[in-house]
């Protein structure tokens, strides 16, 4: 940490100039700090005479940006992120940004600029359609979760990887913000005052809190695969034809369902948010149906890819027919984690743009209430779900109940 200091835009340019081969010696470099995430600095650096000639500098701050210096955070997360990106480039080529270089003391990674891409969350808020996203993410999940599991790696290799990607501080953030704080009157919580009664009910719900505790236990103890660790729709960038997974600084060995649940939960946060975005009932319904279709397709693609790889690489070490019940448990975990992810984004510290961009608190309240209701049902009923279509049906049922209860009140 001795030689660490956080860059400003000018320092980022000077550092870029000092890196041989990154830009032409004649380049006139400019830089903008464009980070809008919770943790890091992101500099875009480009050559004024060749604007397409550009890179991203991602620098970890020694604290969480969203909170400030009162929340110190290890800069080792930059190493974890870079090592994960390099591994993802091998396991799922074409679905992650390229890494061009790094400097550990500065907690700096130099990587591909994806300015032509849009953060998926923003695209979903605008109700855009992405014909390839579900296939790409399903495949990404299938490959990265299979190739880092005991079903592919030798027992020794797997355990070395567990050590390499031990990420205690970032896991603790998730343990607190996803599984703990939303379920009591924690200082970090932040919710729409109109939800006060709903949140009080949440805290009193002993069955729910027990189920969330089980999921937290799974998160903390099940070293199934190397996870991205924070795979929400803000960690995915898209064009009409391309998909890239970014920001794996929360990577660690955990339960597969946590990554899959992050994708599902965030698609459904958008589903709930659409209630407050779209005044045309027909357009809203069509987009919500589209989101449920994406959820199903992500799961189906994951399941197909994972089973295909298990069969392809199977020797007698693991009995192939077990894959079916194995994936059933992964699905139930994914549904439970999706539920937790939805609840935390309504009650906890860090919210999502899908809901936050609804200006009117009364309108937002209805979307937040729906997100909460889906999240709770997912946690409580995950063990009854044996097919992704049942999860979609449950979402539809909860929505209908919510609409009815809004009419009565
Ligand atoms: C203090 S960090 C808050 C959240 O931002 C990240 O994206 C993770 O989701 C984390 O929980
Ligand atoms: Mg992130």
């Amino acid at each position: 940490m001795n030689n660490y200091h956080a860059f400003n835009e000018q320092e980022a340019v000077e550092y870029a100039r000092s890196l041989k081969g990154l830009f032409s010696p004649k380049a006139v470099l400019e830089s903008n700090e464009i980070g809008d995430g919770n943790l890091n600095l992101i500099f875009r650096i480009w050559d004024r005479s060749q604007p397409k000639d550009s890179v991203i500098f991602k620098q970890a701050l020694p604290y969480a940006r969203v909170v400030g210096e009162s929340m110190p955070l290890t800069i080792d997360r930059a190493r974890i992120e870079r090592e994960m990106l390099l591994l993802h480039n091998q396991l799922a080529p074409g679905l992650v940004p390229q890494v061009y270089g790094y400097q550990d003391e500065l907690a700096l990674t130099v990587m591909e600029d994806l300015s032509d891409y849009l953060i998926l969350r923003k695209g979903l808020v605008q109700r855009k359609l992405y014909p390839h996203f579900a296939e790409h993410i399903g495949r990404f999940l299938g490959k990265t979760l299979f190739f880092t599991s005991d079903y592919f790696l030798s027992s020794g290799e797997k355990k070395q990887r567990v050590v390499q990607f031990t990420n205690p501080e970032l896991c603790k953030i998730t343990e607190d913000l996803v599984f703990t704080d939303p379920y009591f009157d924690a200082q970090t919580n932040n919710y729409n005052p109109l939800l006060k009664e709903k949140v009080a009910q949440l805290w009193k719900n002993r069955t729910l809190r027990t189920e969330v505790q089980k999921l937290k236990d799974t998160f903390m103890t099940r070293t199934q695969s190397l996870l991205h660790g924070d795979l929400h729709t803000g960690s995915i960038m898209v064009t009409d034809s391309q998909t890239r997974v970014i920001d794996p600084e929360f990577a660690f060995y955990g339960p597969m369902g946590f990554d899959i649940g992050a994708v599902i939960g965030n698609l459904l946060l958008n589903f709930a948010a659409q209630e407050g975005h779209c005044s045309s009932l027909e357009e809203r319904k069509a987009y919500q149906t589209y989101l449920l279709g994406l959820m199903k397709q992500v799961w189906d693609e994951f399941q197909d890819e994972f089973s295909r790889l298990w069969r392809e690489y199977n020797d007698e070490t693991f009995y192939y027919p077990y894959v079916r019940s194995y994936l059933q448990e992964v699905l139930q975990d994914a549904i439970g984690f999706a539920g937790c992810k939805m609840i935390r984004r309504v009650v906890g510290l860090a919210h999502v743009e899908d809901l936050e961009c609804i200006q009117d608190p009364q309108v937002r309240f209805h979307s937040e209430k729906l997100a909460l209701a889906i999240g709770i049902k997912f946690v409580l009923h995950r063990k009854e779900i044996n097919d992704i279509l049942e999860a979609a049906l449950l979402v539809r049922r909860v929505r209908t109940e919510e609409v009815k209860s809004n009419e009565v009140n």
Side-chain angles (χ1 to χ4, degrees):
M1 179 86 185
N2 281 348
N3 291 322
Y4 176 88
H5 73 279
F7 280 163
N8 59 32
E9 290 176 348
Q10 190 48 38
E11 288 166 329
V13 162
E14 280 157 23
Y15 193 77
R17 218 177 268 130
S18 77
L19 295 176
K20 291 215 169 63
L22 192 60
F23 287 99
S24 136
K26 291 185 194 142
V28 183
L29 297 184
E30 297 207 4
S31 149
N32 261 347
E33 201 282 309
I34 55 169
D36 63 354
N38 292 328
L39 300 180
N40 306 297
L41 294 171
I42 310 286
F43 298 94
R44 179 168 183 269
I45 300 162
W46 71 98
D47 178 355
R48 206 185 328 160
S49 54
Q50 305 272 348
K52 287 255 158 211
D53 220 350
S54 59
V55 296
I56 291 293
F57 276 11
K58 178 165 182 176
Q59 189 177 34
L61 286 164
Y63 53 86
R65 183 176 184 162
V66 66
V67 179
E69 292 183 32
S70 63
M71 189 174 172
L73 208 52
T74 175
I75 58 169
D76 184 49
R77 66 185 192 274
R79 176 200 54 91
I80 298 247
E81 171 163 352
R82 181 232 318 153
E83 291 180 357
M84 185 78 267
L85 280 174
L86 291 170
L87 187 59
H88 277 166
N89 263 293
Q90 285 173 27
L91 303 181
L95 293 171
V96 277
Q98 303 276 321
V99 175
Y100 300 143
Y102 62 93
Q103 216 290 346
D104 271 337
E105 286 193 319
L106 290 169
L108 182 76
T109 311
V110 183
M111 62 179 105
E112 184 182 357
D113 178 20
L114 298 175
S115 296
D116 295 344
Y117 290 64
L118 185 65
I119 293 280
L120 175 64
R121 190 185 299 290
K122 292 184 188 291
L124 298 179
V125 168
Q126 295 165 31
R127 286 189 295 288
K128 292 193 176 200
L129 305 181
Y130 292 105
H132 303 284
F133 149 75
E135 179 207 327
H136 288 166
I137 287 299
R139 185 151 34 91
F140 173 86
L141 288 165
K143 286 188 190 304
T144 59
L145 299 179
F146 178 82
F147 286 127
T148 58
S149 74
D150 286 292
Y151 296 93
F152 178 72
L153 295 174
S154 73
S155 172
E157 278 171 326
K158 149 83 187 295
K159 282 159 188 78
Q160 273 174 2
R161 285 263 168 86
V162 174
V163 173
Q164 181 188 356
F165 287 98
T166 291
N167 196 355
E169 284 190 36
L170 277 82
C171 283
K172 181 71 166 70
I173 291 181
T174 306
E175 289 154 25
D176 291 346
L177 296 187
V178 177
F179 297 106
T180 312
D181 296 357
Y183 301 94
F184 77 105
D185 192 7
Q187 262 196 349
T188 53
N189 287 339
N190 162 31
Y191 51 87
N192 185 342
L194 295 170
L195 282 169
K196 198 167 174 225
E197 215 175 291
K198 289 276 161 199
V199 173
Q201 283 168 13
L202 188 84
W203 294 342
K204 278 195 229 138
N205 189 335
R206 296 165 74 106
T207 319
L208 178 77
R209 291 184 65 175
T210 305
E211 292 307 316
V212 171
Q213 183 59 45
K214 285 185 199 164
L215 287 157
K216 179 176 173 180
D217 183 79
T218 304
F219 176 85
M220 293 178 77
T221 61
R222 186 101 156 93
T223 55
Q224 232 171 359
S225 283
L226 181 52
L227 308 187
H228 175 285
D230 196 26
L231 195 50
H232 53 78
T233 45
S235 296
I236 301 172
M237 299 189 75
V238 282
T239 66
D240 290 345
S241 59
Q242 300 284 322
T243 307
R244 298 284 184 274
V245 174
I246 62 167
D247 278 6
E249 66 206 303
F250 281 76
F252 78 111
Y253 259 88
M256 293 183 194
F258 189 73
D259 270 1
I260 303 163
V263 177
I264 291 176
N266 279 271
L267 290 174
L268 295 178
L269 281 163
N270 190 271
F271 176 102
Q274 291 300 338
E275 297 288 322
H277 286 178
C278 188
S279 49
S280 149
L281 184 62
E282 215 171 297
E283 195 182 333
R284 182 200 311 159
K285 274 188 163 172
Y287 202 70
Q288 287 176 324
T289 301
Y290 173 67
L291 291 166
L292 293 182
L294 287 182
M295 172 179 89
K296 176 178 175 339
Q297 204 191 338
V298 168
W299 171 260
D300 288 346
E301 296 281 351
F302 158 74
Q303 176 170 252
D304 289 353
E305 183 70 3
F306 191 91
S307 319
R308 187 184 68 74
L309 291 170
W310 187 329
R311 185 191 279 275
E312 186 178 330
Y313 289 94
N314 182 44
D315 52 23
E316 291 309 311
T317 319
F318 297 105
Y319 183 54
Y320 177 68
Y322 172 55
V323 72
R324 278 193 64 176
S325 61
Y326 186 85
L327 285 174
Q328 185 176 328
E329 191 186 299
V330 172
L331 175 64
Q332 292 172 351
D333 283 354
I335 297 302
F337 288 129
C340 294
K341 293 271 189 177
M342 296 182 77
I343 296 168
R344 62 90 50 124
R345 295 297 188 186
V346 175
V347 181
L349 172 82
H351 286 214
V352 288
E353 192 182 326
D354 316 52
L355 291 164
E356 291 306 293
C357 70
I358 305 172
Q359 300 291 327
D360 182 338
Q362 186 67 47
V363 177
R364 189 171 357 104
F365 165 67
H366 285 293
S367 285
E368 291 170 327
K369 202 155 67 70
L370 175 58
L372 216 48
I374 297 170
I376 292 169
K377 281 277 195 297
F378 267 24
V379 171
L380 292 177
H381 297 283
R382 68 191 187 285
K383 294 283 180 198
E384 294 149 39
I385 288 175
N386 294 311
D387 188 303
I388 190 71
L389 277 176
E390 290 167 14
L393 280 176
L394 182 56
V395 172
R396 292 243 183 246
R397 250 200 326 273
V398 176
R399 184 187 169 274
T400 308
E401 281 164 19
E402 277 294 309
V403 170
K404 266 196 203 138
S405 92
N406 292 342
E407 281 164 7
V408 172
N409 298 316

